[in-house]
Amino acid sequence: EIIVNHIRRATIDDIPEIVNINIQCWKNNYKGIIAQDYLDKLNVNDKLENWKSHFLEVKDTSSYYVKVIDWKIVGFISWGKNMDAKYPYENEIYGLYVDINHQGKNIGKELFETILQDDKFRFCKSFCLWTLRDNPQSNHFYQKMWWKLFSAQWEKLHQRTWVPLAWYV
């Protein structure tokens, strides 16, 4: 039996699996943090075209990587130019999600270490990421990875609801 276990650059064809993992994680990890009616309405078909458009739009300035085990994507990371000019950081992690059945197996760490080797990252001078302040799992992960909590503030999420975010640098 051949077991496939590697990290590679994502392609546009990976977007449906990436979106599925993203939504699965939101529904599982953000329960009790994000309004349940919002989480209940999340589905792959509604998000697919936006993700594909974003992937193509940022392909020259950003990178997406996926972790593949047994021919199935089980996690992804995306990063690129900081999208909010009011913060003095050059780059930002847009998303780091691992399938709920594969969390706790160092996949997030492997994905993060992969972007450190990315040619586009080589000249990066500063980096940040946002996560939900009330998500202990992600906050623990980022602190374990030597990220420093810079600030926490309330932000409007998807033009809908205000949630407390934590900003790591």
Side-chain angles (χ1 to χ4, degrees):
E1 175 182 342
I2 297 174
I3 295 177
V4 175
N5 183 346
H6 66 279
I7 294 176
R8 62 169 172 76
R9 281 192 182 274
T11 69
I12 191 78
D13 294 333
D14 296 326
I15 297 300
E17 285 183 86
I18 288 171
V19 174
N20 186 52
I21 289 170
N22 178 258
I23 289 174
Q24 174 198 96
C25 288
W26 270 64
K27 287 183 174 189
N28 184 69
N29 300 345
Y30 299 163
K31 192 178 288 188
I33 301 171
I34 302 291
Q36 190 61 45
D37 66 322
Y38 179 80
L39 295 175
D40 290 342
K41 291 177 186 174
L42 290 175
N43 71 69
V44 172
N45 291 333
D46 289 347
K47 302 288 183 187
L48 205 50
E49 289 310 311
N50 283 343
W51 276 75
K52 285 181 179 178
S53 295
H54 180 261
F55 181 87
L56 294 172
E57 180 181 308
V58 301
K59 69 178 179 175
D60 295 330
T61 59
S62 301
S63 294
Y64 277 74
Y65 287 93
V66 293
K67 171 73 172 187
V68 178
I69 298 176
D70 290 337
W71 309 103
K72 183 179 185 312
I73 294 173
V74 298
F76 73 92
I77 190 168
S78 62
W79 76 276
K81 296 291 179 197
N82 179 7
M83 294 189 288
D84 194 337
K86 70 182 175 187
Y87 298 105
Y89 291 90
E90 185 180 10
N91 293 288
E92 150 181 24
I93 290 180
Y94 303 141
L96 172 56
Y97 291 91
V98 176
D99 181 292
I100 61 173
N101 298 309
H102 291 272
Q103 291 177 0
K105 299 178 182 177
N106 288 323
I107 293 171
K109 181 180 180 188
E110 288 178 49
L111 286 162
F112 179 72
E113 288 173 350
T114 298
I115 67 169
L116 297 178
Q117 305 305 315
D118 187 301
D119 288 341
K120 294 175 190 171
F121 188 83
R122 187 174 26 186
F123 302 107
C124 176
K125 295 180 184 96
S126 56
F127 218 78
C128 69
L129 65 87
W130 290 96
T131 188
L132 294 177
R133 185 193 71 197
D134 296 336
N135 182 348
Q137 184 178 1
S138 65
N139 284 289
H140 175 74
F141 171 78
Y142 294 124
Q143 290 168 13
K144 194 169 94 176
M145 293 293 296
W146 305 287
W147 287 75
K148 301 291 182 228
L149 179 62
F150 184 75
S151 74
Q153 64 189 45
W154 288 83
E155 290 283 334
K156 200 166 193 179
L157 187 66
H158 297 287
Q159 287 73 44
R160 188 151 189 278
T161 185
W162 289 86
V163 295
L165 296 178
W167 184 29
Y168 286 88
V169 294

